[in-house]
Each structure stands twice: as structure tokens, then as C-alpha cells.
Amino acid sequence: DPEGPEAGGADSADPDRLVGEGVDRREDAALLTGDATYTDDIDHPDLAYHTFVRSEVAHGDIERIDTAAAESTEGVLAVYTWDDVAASEVPGVLPISTHGLDCDPPGHPMLARDRVRYQGQPVAAVVADDRYRARDAADAVEVTYDSRPAVVDQREAQGTDAPTLYDDAPDNVAATAELGDREATDEAVADADHTVELDLTNNRLIPNALEPRAAVARWDAGDERLTVELTSQSPHGHRGKLSTTLGLPERDIRVVAPSVGGGFGHKGHHHPGEAAAAFAAMDLGTPVKWTATRSENYLAGAHGRDHRTTAEIGVDDDGTVRGLRVETDANVGAYGLGGSLGMPGWYGSLLSSQYDIPAVHCETRAVFTNTAPIHSYRGAGRPEANYVAERLVGAAARELGFDPAELRRANQITEFPHETAVGATYDSGDYGRGLDEALDAADWADLRSRPDRDDDGRYLGVGLACYVESTGGGMESGVVRAHPDGTVTVSAGTHSHGQGHGTTYAQIVADELGVDYDAIEVREGDSDAIPQGTGTFGSRSTITGGNAVAESARAVREKARELAANLLDAPQDAVEYDGGEFSAPDHTDDTCTFADAAEAAYGWGVPEDVDPGLEATTFFEQEATAYTFGTHVVAVAVDPETGAVDIKRYVALDDCGERVNPVIVEGQVEGGVAQGVGQARYEGAVYADDGTLRTDSMLDYAVPRSFHVPEIQTESTVTPSPTNDLGVKGIGEAGTIAAPPAVVNAVCDALAPLGIAHVDMPLSGERVRSAIRDAEE
Ligand code: MCN
């Protein structure tokens, strides 16, 4: 829009405000026309190409690596194995975050030391002057293994006869975590009039960002500094991790993240690729690029979810939920940890969903297996938790004969703040209203009064899921810098990879600073140019980065007022500011603009008692978590002949507090629901018993296509969060949290006449059809 956005449209309570407006995303033109630069687009003189030799076996000891043929291949600059790393000063072991768990996980060696623990683990690396020569040479590296038995299932891995991945963890249990009161929960469940138990699998997912992982590393021998251009959700986070892996001070590493083609969590993870490319660049003194292929992304990119859970809910005759007991085995793969356990704070603490459950207990075990490392995938622990709570409430409603909406309503939390039995303090909400409005939007009464089957003989079902999502967390930096001409650069330590921060941060700053939206530019993604940051994950950017830039903008506005007072020769408290113009009507008819004040800030005329310059930096620390919530309603038809599930209706009601940009919020919900429907219906990594990944390409791993995604009706309520000045909560993961249980609840409702209580995700035609066949036998 060459005219720029208009303030005060239908969504805004204040006609002068841009926050609340569905401003068009300013980043889209470059993304859609191919003008954006992604990491693999970056070129440098003498750029060399890096590729890995990956393990073909899932578990085994390395007997021999023969690099001779590869080394003599034309164009090859170097072939590395662990011996080369060991001979250098580089530690070469990627740190693994534990997120407060009491354990000491082994790091992930950049190249396997003497043993491999998952198929696809990097064993050797080749650098050549051309990406195809590098690949050919990698194929010429010969590796022989003494294979060991593998284990891929986290429950089997705990058996006494299971192979062990690490001597320190003979039962393969990496860590355990407990939340809630075990005794009180056992008692509450035992005392309840009814108990309902489910065994649930939360299927393992593989993130499928359009842009695979990639890095370009350069070593400046003169400055002794490393620059890594990297597709990253967290440039400063990656700088810190690279510092540990490479043994370089953070001061000497610059991480630059250009446009990022999707992340979904796995680009916050530290992969061997960026570290190995940096190692080669430092060794060879030439820039080195590493770009994963799609298949490598499947094999060895960090995976997500993979929980096996047994859970039991105790409910009284009148529908009061008395207690919830949960036991979860979380697969962490061969090396992953913190992200995979869903971080006890994220997974366990959301098990109460929207309900006032007096006793909840959760025990989680993180288990090593011979599979790719598991980290976090959009939602990271929260979809897993909500799936448990909402499937159990759904199953209890069916078994006890309640309308599922009524059972939920009877137990919903109504007063805030509310501390749950698993220690989460919900900040604000109106769960009843959210439920009511979602039901109204979906014509719930009509959906419930449908016949069991449609005219084609398909079973009809309706399901819903409420949810609560913990959003935000930690510290974030936000800088607002006014230039002498009155234009403004805003920067933050977050890094947009599809979320549209360039638009929403500019909306926030335009309002706070009272300057034109088009005068504001937003920059993220350069660890040298931006003070320490945390990054974009956990639906945290708007709360932390948004409030950081808002606070800095307020400080800059007040400083500009001081400068304007001097220009207008009026006392500061007499200076008014409106529409980018300062005036002091009781003192002078003169006015000056924000740009005049900015010019004065850097000129000769800075008053003695005012510091020169016009910029502010805020390190915003979110002290309390903001809890987004909502209700999603789904109607399905299930074909008993094919098992095909047709989603006929999808209504998503979400409340993320004040919405900076309602159109972006809707887009975030729709993207999340698409991924949630993907988990519920199509996606699932499958490993053979020997640890071979069967779903290692898009032919085998079913990512939903646009025609698989139902039309999504988005609705909202707005309950501001008291945890921050903007009143915002996050929205980036809501859809992935609500959709899976909503879809599965609907399918189980459809199949209830057949006596089917539960079908595991993904609800493929084959799986649903088998459940129907089994029920009919
Ligand atoms: N927003 C808003 N009002 C609110 C909340 C959010 O207008 N009350 C806007 C924000 O300003 C921002 C967007 O919605 O432009 C998302 O904001 P937020 O909820 O703060 O989440 P983050 O920006 O921190 O994004 C992280 C989240 C996560 S964790 C994953 S994973 C994810 C996601 O966002 N991966 C994505 N959305 C994605 N979208 C795309 N296109 N690609 C990904 O990889």
C-alpha cells in the first residue's frame, strides 16, 4: 500500500491508533517476489561447500573411516573426521539444554567420535569447491561399522534387555520430572465416582520448513572473528551455543540471520551443520556454506513430540473432575533433551487445561533411543499436554453421558489469577465466554442433534477442545533509534521467520512514538548490531520484544519532548505532543516536529542539561507468564469403507489478549491449525526396529497440502493480560495445541456408536478403517 496504513479502522477502539489494525504485512512483497535473501542465496568470493557423510546404521561402533578416495577427488579442499576435531583446539561437542532438569546429558559431537547412535548422524565432512563435487566425494568415503542392536521406542528402551545408549544411563532414562501432589492425586482419583483411563501416543513429527537448515561461515584471520550467516530463530542463542561448541568467546562471533523460510521450533536448535561449517571455515580460511537437503532434514533435523502417556481422570456423578494422574515417557532421541521433555514447566504445568482440578500429578521420563534428536516443534510440550487433558475430558464426557461442552463448562476456572494444581498461575481469562462464543459460531446445538450417519452412510461426529497456552518468557531487548531526519530504526533480539514482526513492531512504535508508520524500519537478526537477545519461540516475541520496543519508544518520546521544550522555549510540562507535532499553546504559537527534535538531538543546539542523541534500549523482562486460551470446534464425517475423515467444519476461537494486528493473528491461528490438523490426520515419523527412518521423504511423510486443510472459521475474544503494558499474550502456537484433540475428539464421537473409545494419531484412513473393522468383528 503506497499510501501506508490507515489508523483507526473497524478493529481499533482509538481512531489514532495502529495497534488493533489489520495492517498489511510489509514484508510480504519481498518474500513473494523472490527478492528476499535466504542463507543459501548468499555468495562470497572463494565460497566452498560443505557436506556430511552420515551414518547408515542407527547404532554401532565405528571401525574404520577411509577418506583416501574422497581426498583425491577433484575440487576437494578437506575431509574431516572426529580425529581432526580432536587434534584441534575446538571442543566440537554441541551443548544440550536441560531446561532445569536434574541431569548431565552427553553433548552431541559435531562428527561422531567412535560410536553412532542414530541413522543420519554426521560421521565425516567434506569441503569442496562445488556442492556436487563435495557430494560425490562424500559418497567416496568408506565407513565400516560394528553394528549394535537399536531401540527406537521409549518404553521398550527402558526394558532390562534393551540396548543401552550411554553407560551412565543403563535404563536409557536421561531424566525424570514430577509435578503436582502424587498422594493427593491418587486419593482424589480413587475417591471419584468414576475413572476413565486412556493410553495415548503423541506422534513424532518432523518439522518441514520450506527452507531447510543452512549456514555460511567466514573466518576473518585479521580480526580473528567468525561470522556465521544462519537460518536461525535465535541469533544470539546460536552465538552462545557456537561459542561453546567452537571454544570461541561470544565477543568474537557474529551471527547474522537473513530471511528465514520457516522455523517451527527446529531452527532454534543447534545442529552440527553450522558448527562443522564454522570449523571448516576457520581451518581453511575460506568461506564455507552448508545447506541441508530435504532428506537430511528428515533424517537428522531435530524432530518433535513423541510422547507415550497413560492417564487417568476421576470424575464424580455430577461431572466434577476430582483428579488427573499422568505418566509420560518422552522420547528424546539419541541426544536431544530439554526441548523434548517439553520442559517440565511447559508440558506438565498445562495439564489442567481450563479446568479447576484440585489434584493433578504428572511424572515424565525422558528416554534416549536410537532415533534423531528430538527438540521442540511448534507448541513444544503444550500440544502434548493439552492432548492428554482434552482427550481425557472428551472420553469422560462420552463414558458418563455428558454433553462434552457441559462437562467442560462445569469445571472451567472462573476467577483469575488462578493457580493450578500443577503450579501454573493463569493471569486472566474468560473461559466460559470463549466456550459459549465458539459453540454459537459452530451452531453446536445443531451439530449435536445430527443423525449418527449421513445419507452416504458416513459416521458424523463433533468434537471440541479447550486449551490454555503459556506464552512469552525471559528477557528481550528492544532498541528505538531516531535518526537526525526523524526516521526511526527499531531493533529487537527476536527474529521473525514468518510472523511479521516488521509490521507489528512498527505498529507498536508508531503509536508510542507518534511518528508515521512508514518512517519506521524494523531490524532483527544481527548479533553485532543488536544488544543481547533471546529469540523467537514459545510465542514470546510480541510480549517480550513488543513490550521492549514499546518501552524504548516511550523513553524516546519523552526525550524528544525535552528537546522540543528547548526548541519552543517552553517548560517541558507545558509541551503537548500530537500527530508527530510538539506545541506549547500557553507559551508560544510556534510548533516543531518530531524530526526537528531528532535533528536537535544530534546538532549543536543540545541544551546543557540534556544528553545528546535520541535513542533508548530496553531489556524487558517478563515476570509472569501470559496464558492464551480458546476453544476449537470440529465436525467430521468418517467413511466406514475407507476410513477417510472429512472435516466438514472447523471453528477456532482464540483469545490472545490485545491483538496488535488481528489479520496476522488470524494467519498465525490458521497456520497453527493446519499443522495441528497435519498431526491429527497425516503426519508421523516411522522408524523400523533397526532404527532406519522409514518416513525419510515427502513421499512417505505426509505433510498436509492446502487441499487437506479445512476452511477455518476464526473467531476471537479479547481479554487483556495484566502481565504487560500492551496487554498482549502470544498466539504463534495456539492452533497446534487446540487442533489435535479437537479433531480426534470429533472422530471418536463419530465412531462412538461402534463402541470405539480411542484411535491414535495420525488418523490415517488405514488406521481408522482398521479400528472400524476390529469393532465390527
Ligand atoms: N500478534 C499480535 N497480537 C498478539 C499476539 C501476536 O498481533 N496479541 C502477532 C505478532 O506481533 C507476531 C505474530 O502475531 O507478528 C506472532 O506473535 P507471537 O505470538 O508473539 O509469536 P512469535 O512471534 O514469538 O512467534 C513464535 C511462534 C512459534 S513458537 C512458532 S514455532 C511459529 C510461529 O510463531 N513458527 C512459525 N509462527 C510461525 N509462522 C510462520 N509463518 N512460520 C513459522 O516457522
Side-chain angles (χ1 to χ4, degrees), residues 263-264 378 499 501 504 541-542 658 660-661 668 729 731-732:
F264 309 119
R378 197 172 188 174
Q499 293 84 352
H501 299 164
T504 49
S541 303
T542 315
E658 298 290 356
V660 178
N661 185 321
Q668 286 292 313
K729 305 178 179 190
I731 194 63

Side-chain angles (χ1 to χ4, degrees), residues 264 305 346 376-384 469 732-733 736-737:
F264 309 119
R305 314 271 197 270
W346 288 20
S376 52
Y377 178 65
R378 197 172 188 174
R382 289 148 311 158
E384 294 91 320
E469 176 192 356
E733 294 151 296
T736 58
I737 297 170

Side-chain angles (χ1 to χ4, degrees), residues 340-688:
S340 28
L341 192 49
M343 306 145 214
W346 288 20
Y347 172 66
S349 71
L350 283 187
L351 283 165
S352 209
S353 187
Q354 295 188 355
Y355 315 114
D356 186 4
I357 310 178
V360 184
H361 179 259
C362 167
E363 186 179 343
T364 312
R365 284 177 291 275
V367 187
F368 291 123
T369 61
N370 295 112
T371 60
I374 290 207
H375 189 58
S376 52
Y377 178 65
R378 197 172 188 174
R382 289 148 311 158
E384 294 91 320
N386 199 57
Y387 185 65
V388 172
E390 291 297 320
R391 272 301 292 128
L392 276 161
V393 172
R398 190 180 75 90
E399 212 163 304
L400 308 183
F402 284 100
D403 175 324
E406 292 317 313
L407 185 63
R408 284 173 168 84
R409 195 191 313 282
N411 289 284
Q412 269 176 335
I413 292 160
T414 52
E415 282 179 21
F416 298 87
H418 177 99
E419 189 177 347
T420 68
V422 265
T425 302
Y426 297 164
D427 57 327
S428 66
D430 190 342
Y431 298 165
R433 181 170 160 228
L435 176 62
D436 285 344
E437 293 198 11
L439 297 180
D440 278 355
D443 304 315
W444 179 254
D446 281 359
L447 290 177
R448 287 277 295 165
S449 61
R450 77 205 182 277
D452 280 351
R453 299 176 84 158
D454 68 8
D455 293 345
D456 298 323
R458 298 186 305 173
Y459 288 96
L460 300 176
V462 293
L464 76 155
C466 298
Y467 77 92
V468 171
E469 176 192 356
S470 50
T471 65
M475 176 289 297
E476 199 49 82
S477 63
V479 180
V480 172
R481 175 175 298 163
H483 303 287
D485 63 356
T487 59
V488 175
T489 300
V490 173
S491 53
T494 48
H495 193 52
S496 187
H497 46 283
Q499 293 84 352
H501 299 164
T503 302
T504 49
Y505 288 176
Q507 288 178 258
I508 292 170
V509 171
D511 282 358
E512 298 290 349
L513 208 51
V515 301
D516 194 29
Y517 170 85
D518 290 323
I520 300 167
E521 186 187 37
V522 177
R523 289 193 172 275
E524 297 177 299
D526 184 342
S527 67
D528 265 12
I530 295 162
Q532 183 62 29
T534 302
T536 290
F537 51 86
S539 301
R540 63 182 300 281
S541 303
T542 315
I543 302 175
T544 58
N547 277 290
V549 300
E551 221 169 292
S552 290
R554 278 177 224 130
V556 167
R557 185 186 63 204
E558 290 319 303
K559 174 88 181 283
R561 191 192 299 279
E562 263 183 286
L563 291 156
N566 183 56
L567 292 175
L568 298 174
D569 202 12
Q572 204 180 310
D573 56 9
V575 174
E576 294 172 14
Y577 183 50
D578 190 25
E581 196 170 78
F582 292 99
S583 61
D586 292 342
H587 293 267
T588 171
D589 291 338
D590 290 348
T591 59
C592 69
T593 62
F594 179 83
D596 295 330
E599 192 182 10
Y602 299 101
W604 298 104
V606 184
E608 251 173 42
D609 55 341
V610 178
D611 289 332
L614 191 53
E615 67 174 77
T617 299
T618 301
F619 291 95
F620 179 86
E621 193 182 357
Q622 190 191 347
E623 275 160 17
T625 303
Y627 288 86
T628 296
F629 65 93
T631 299
H632 289 203
V633 183
V634 175
V636 296
V638 181
D639 186 333
E641 295 306 316
T642 60
V645 174
D646 178 14
I647 298 183
K648 297 166 69 68
R649 195 80 197 273
Y650 196 109
V651 174
L653 181 136
D654 300 276
D655 188 323
C656 58
E658 298 290 356
R659 297 180 300 171
V660 178
N661 185 321
V663 176
I664 289 184
V665 166
E666 277 175 32
Q668 286 292 313
V669 169
E670 287 175 5
V673 168
Q675 286 179 288
V677 166
Q679 165 158 35
R681 298 200 47 199
Y682 306 104
E683 297 185 45
V686 177
Y687 277 94

Side-chain angles (χ1 to χ4, degrees), residues 53-59 116 118-121 123 141 143 145 299 690-692:
V53 177
R54 294 182 180 276
S55 171
E56 284 165 18
V57 305
H59 200 188
V116 290
Y118 66 96
Q119 187 203 17
Q121 180 168 349
V123 171
V141 173
V143 188
Y145 304 91
L299 264 185
D690 69 355
T692 304

